[in-house]
Amino acid sequence: VCEPWQSYNRSCSKYELEQTTHNDYRTMNVSTGRVVLMPRIGYTIIAIIMATSCTLSVILNTTVIVVTIKYKQLRQPINYSLVNLAIADLGAALLGGSLNVETNAVGYYNLGRAGCVTEGFQRITSSFSAIAGIVALCTIAVIAVDRAIVVGKPMGTLTFTTRKAMIGVAASWIWSLVWNTPPLFGWGGYQMEGVMTSCAPDWYNSDPINVSYIVCYFLFCFTIPFVMILVSYGYLLWTLLGVAQRGSTTKAETQVAWMVIVMVMAFLICWLPYATFALVVVGNPEIYINPIIATVPMYMAKTSTFYNPIIYIFMNKQVSLNSV
């Protein structure tokens, strides 16, 4: 069977290409042997967007990490989780986003099976990916739960200590690795998506083994953290709306709580469309979605790696002052 990244190889017939890519290919450049999904300018635009996103992500996330390490007053338990989020986003930009810049710049996927597996694996472990990024999703869940407990005080004076913060950071990486390594050993897999310049879990494969992995993946790596975020977010928002009357929360705690709420909202706005797209495809593998339309939520999620440090820097006075 002809693999999608072999689309530039003359040994792959047009029929094989169409069958391999779920009938997404519509035209083919006979002189080059490559299928064409959209005008060349489209790939160039995506490459520019991704290059801009990656550059901002590297600069801003590095700033967050360096500033937090440099200034002792910023080494608070909550900031350990925020730095972990910055590390995950930085990794997604360097190891995943940079590959997307290159493949879109040339107009097709030229990194082969190894490149696809590397991008797919990295992308999910760094940012539900995209970066899809389970580490980021779990970290935001931990942050949301922390703020709900600290600000809402449902358990009395329970505090978020450095030890608990480090446990949360370690758990996010371990959980991500546990659920993202199976495709490397045959349970699940990675395949190209959208305009065929990026790789992700094989949403279209209806093989029972692959479907079982996707179902478990969504349940344990998206649904559970997502429910934790929604419950904590709802409780935190309800608490903040009444905090002015009770006067039981400090101004600093309230500020951090609102920052977390904005980060959660931004994360969901970027990732829910892609998660919805993936669920629709898994539920109906035969459905046809125009590859250009399918690319929109995918790259919307991929460009999410730079907004967290922006929110963190501008909504945290200590960080913003020390970053200047």
Side-chain angles (χ1 to χ4, degrees):
V1 177
C2 179
E3 297 288 1
W5 43 78
Q6 292 175 326
S7 59
Y8 53 89
N9 190 326
R10 294 178 184 274
S11 65
C12 300
S13 70
K14 183 177 180 180
Y15 174 78
E16 289 175 317
L17 290 169
E18 289 176 344
Q19 296 301 310
T20 303
T21 55
H22 317 287
N23 297 316
D24 281 342
Y25 288 127
R26 286 294 176 265
T27 61
M28 183 174 184
N29 187 321
V30 179
S31 63
T32 63
R34 298 181 191 134
V35 288
V36 179
L37 293 177
M38 66 177 179
R40 186 66 183 84
I41 185 64
Y43 291 103
T44 302
I45 291 174
I46 294 177
I48 293 173
I49 292 174
M50 287 304 300
T52 303
S53 172
C54 289
T55 301
L56 290 174
S57 179
V58 170
I59 294 173
L60 294 173
N61 283 298
T62 300
T63 299
V64 169
I65 296 170
V66 171
V67 169
T68 304
I69 293 175
K70 183 177 180 180
Y71 296 97
K72 187 175 182 180
Q73 66 269 30
L74 295 177
R75 298 173 202 165
Q76 305 297 324
I78 182 66
N79 288 345
Y80 282 87
S81 295
L82 293 171
V83 168
N84 186 51
L85 187 60
I87 292 173
D89 286 340
L90 180 61
L94 291 175
L95 302 178
S98 59
L99 297 182
N100 295 145
V101 173
E102 195 274 340
T103 55
N104 281 288
V106 299
Y108 63 94
Y109 203 87
N110 61 341
L111 302 177
R113 165 63 73 176
C116 186
V117 173
T118 299
E119 182 199 343
F121 177 71
Q122 176 282 137
R123 180 173 154 226
I124 298 180
T125 55
S126 296
S127 160
F128 182 87
S129 89
I131 93 194
I134 303 307
V135 169
L137 182 60
C138 290
T139 300
I140 289 180
V142 170
I143 294 172
V145 171
D146 158 56
R147 289 300 92 187
I149 292 175
V150 173
V151 176
K153 297 180 173 63
M155 302 178 184
T157 57
L158 182 66
T159 59
F160 196 60
T161 64
T162 298
R163 181 174 178 272
K164 293 176 182 176
M166 295 305 295
I167 291 176
V169 168
S172 68
W173 285 98
I174 293 173
W175 191 252
S176 178
L177 288 173
V178 166
W179 287 104
N180 287 290
T181 52
L184 300 180
F185 302 100
W187 188 30
Y190 298 112
Q191 191 55 276
M192 301 181 66
E193 60 179 350
V195 291
M196 303 299 154
T197 54
S198 176
C199 284
D202 193 356
W203 310 120
Y204 284 95
N205 191 339
S206 58
D207 179 80
I209 295 178
N210 185 74
V211 172
S212 67
Y213 169 73
I214 295 297
V215 170
C216 289
Y217 182 81
F218 266 101
L219 176 62
F220 293 104
C221 296
F222 181 74
T223 304
I224 292 177
F226 182 63
V227 170
M228 291 173 60
I229 289 173
L230 286 184
V231 172
S232 300
Y233 168 83
Y235 180 72
L236 187 57
L237 187 59
W238 176 78
T239 300
L240 289 175
L241 292 176
V243 74
Q245 297 179 349
R246 297 198 305 270
S248 57
T249 303
T250 66
K251 182 178 179 180
E253 289 178 340
T254 302
Q255 184 184 37
V256 173
W258 279 113
M259 179 187 72
V260 171
I261 287 177
V262 173
M263 291 176 73
V264 169
M265 291 179 63
F267 188 89
L268 295 180
I269 289 173
C270 284
W271 279 101
L272 273 181
Y274 182 66
T276 302
F277 158 78
L279 283 174
V280 169
V281 172
V282 172
N284 184 11
E286 299 303 319
I287 189 173
Y288 172 75
I289 300 177
N290 186 289
I292 297 178
I293 295 177
T295 296
V296 174
M298 178 180 68
Y299 280 102
M300 185 176 174
K302 286 175 177 289
T303 56
S304 67
T305 57
F306 71 87
Y307 67 75
N308 279 323
I310 291 178
I311 296 171
Y312 182 40
I313 290 173
F314 285 97
M315 294 192 69
N316 189 315
K317 291 184 178 180
Q318 284 185 319
V319 177
S320 60
L321 290 174
N322 291 322
S323 298
V324 177

